[in-house]
Amino acid sequence: MPTDRPRPRFAVVGGGVSGLTAARELALAGARVEVIEGAAHLGGRIRGAELGGVTIDIGAESFATRGGTVAELIHEIGMGDEIVRPSGLGSWVIDGPRALPLPAAGTLGIPATPLSAATVRALGITGAVRAAIEPALPRSVGRDADSLAALVRSRLGSRVLDRLVRPVSLGVHSADPARLGVASVPGLAAAFAERGSLITAAKQLRDSQAAAGGAVAGLRGGMTSLIAGLARELDRLGVAVRTGEKVRRIAPAPADTAAAGAGSAWQIFDAEGATIATVDGVILAVPEGVARRLLADDVTGTPTDRVEVVALAIDDARLDAAPRGTGALVSRDAVGSGGASAGSRRAPTQTGAAPILAKALTHVTAKWPERAREAGPGRHLIRLSYGRAGSAPETVGLDDAEVRSIARYDASRILGIDLRADAIVDLARCTWRMGRPPGSRDSRLLDAPAGVTLAGDWVSGTGLAAIVQGARAAAAEALAAAPGSSQ
């Protein structure tokens, strides 16, 4: 940025990873930047919780290693030595009454080796052979699919969709693949068009033959340490960070408020209607519904889903064997194999067992050796996720005792061990509101006015890798549009 021009001033609304990364990019380019976050703390969907004397991630707990995007950022802010890998135990899927290890996979559970023993166990020989012939199918098969589910079914068959892709999609995107466009998986449409095979495209994107959940990494102190590292970096760069300050709306600034030579274009108003900033450009790194409200767009019908994470600390040495590896994804009709008795809230299925309400379980102390050392021998930490696309989490609005009972039953069924009530020594809960990823069939395009740039998972895609890449792109776009920019 030329030094003989006034430094443009930006406001970044939203203090999650997306907003903090975008603010850092702007500051590195020489802009004056302030971050405005409505909550009392930074982090967005990255948050820690105290559970059984150990701090665990109650939101995002890891990042995809594909492409090195997040690792590059972590190294840039001097935290490269903090990157840790999960154990190599792999994940499972609970499908109906069966519990099966997830086979080696490409992205979203698409099998990388359809005729492997693990894939045959998951799909049966008929489903595995159906998937194995996919690379030989004409490129035209699935080309006109209007959803991710339709593409997978046409190319790989219904068993791959129902037993692998749907549980993974519900766990990752909180959405059924029938409601997701192919574009909701970053790079998949382009890779499929290039390769002509969904299996080959998914393997290329995953860049790993590891079991689902293996191509990720975390931080020794949990992902909240990334937020702390970014906050330190912004302080070093002179970025003003304001928390606990809710933005009510943004609007074009009157011409007489323009800073000399800078042409300031936007005013930001707080909850009382007072102007809190006048800037050249704004990055809205907030959920879609918030962005629409700030821009006075119609928020009616904005697609959002709620997810509740329920974490349990359990004293039970039987879990030392990690019976479901690092965790399990749960199909809609799963009833699991544990022996806990169902509560009165659930009607038994035809198998005689009540359904599992959780959509996923993470065995935190089996997945992350650092958490296991902190927890100590015999103490296990698990997380269960509730809330599928289109329906509220079954745990929302219930008191802790009811939630504890539901979570104990679900964990018992998923893990295949009848957990005693007195073995659960602590509980933590957190509810998140999730936007639909780009390419969702029920999403609506939001055209931001000149000088306003959008960022976040609903813009760039789900996962920290997509979010960081999208935040950097948003900063570059905002800089290019700034008054006097030569970019």
Side-chain angles (χ1 to χ4, degrees), residues 3-99:
T3 57
D4 58 343
R5 298 180 185 275
R7 296 166 60 202
R9 182 179 177 186
F10 291 93
V12 177
V13 181
V17 169
S18 182
L20 300 180
T21 301
R24 176 177 180 268
E25 294 293 313
L26 295 172
L28 288 173
R32 295 174 293 171
V33 189
E34 56 186 310
V35 175
I36 306 171
E37 166 58 49
H41 50 79
L42 300 172
R45 296 192 188 111
I46 292 182
R47 188 180 305 174
E50 191 76 14
L51 183 70
V54 178
T55 298
I56 69 164
D57 291 306
I58 199 76
E61 63 157 5
S62 62
F63 58 90
T65 57
R66 175 178 54 83
T69 304
V70 181
E72 180 182 3
L73 173 63
I74 292 170
H75 280 280
E76 288 177 4
I77 63 175
M79 296 180 61
D81 292 341
E82 296 298 307
I83 296 176
V84 294
R85 302 283 178 163
S87 67
L89 294 176
S91 302
W92 288 56
V93 63
I94 311 298
D95 176 44
R98 304 184 309 160

Side-chain angles (χ1 to χ4, degrees), residues 446-463:
L446 174 59
D447 289 321
V452 177
T453 309
L454 307 175
D457 58 359
W458 62 280
V459 179
S460 57
T462 304

Side-chain angles (χ1 to χ4, degrees), residues 67-160:
T69 304
V70 181
E72 180 182 3
L73 173 63
I74 292 170
H75 280 280
E76 288 177 4
I77 63 175
M79 296 180 61
D81 292 341
E82 296 298 307
I83 296 176
V84 294
R85 302 283 178 163
S87 67
L89 294 176
S91 302
W92 288 56
V93 63
I94 311 298
D95 176 44
R98 304 184 309 160
L100 297 167
L102 273 171
T107 191
L108 267 182
I110 295 171
T113 52
L115 295 179
S116 70
T119 306
V120 172
R121 280 197 302 271
L123 301 177
I125 189 63
T126 301
V129 170
R130 171 66 178 85
I133 67 172
E134 187 271 341
L137 294 178
R139 287 173 174 258
S140 58
V141 175
R143 181 181 296 163
D144 298 325
D146 62 353
S147 70
L148 181 61
L151 176 62
V152 171
R153 184 183 292 109
S154 63
R155 296 290 307 184
L156 297 166
S158 295
R159 290 193 182 184
V160 170

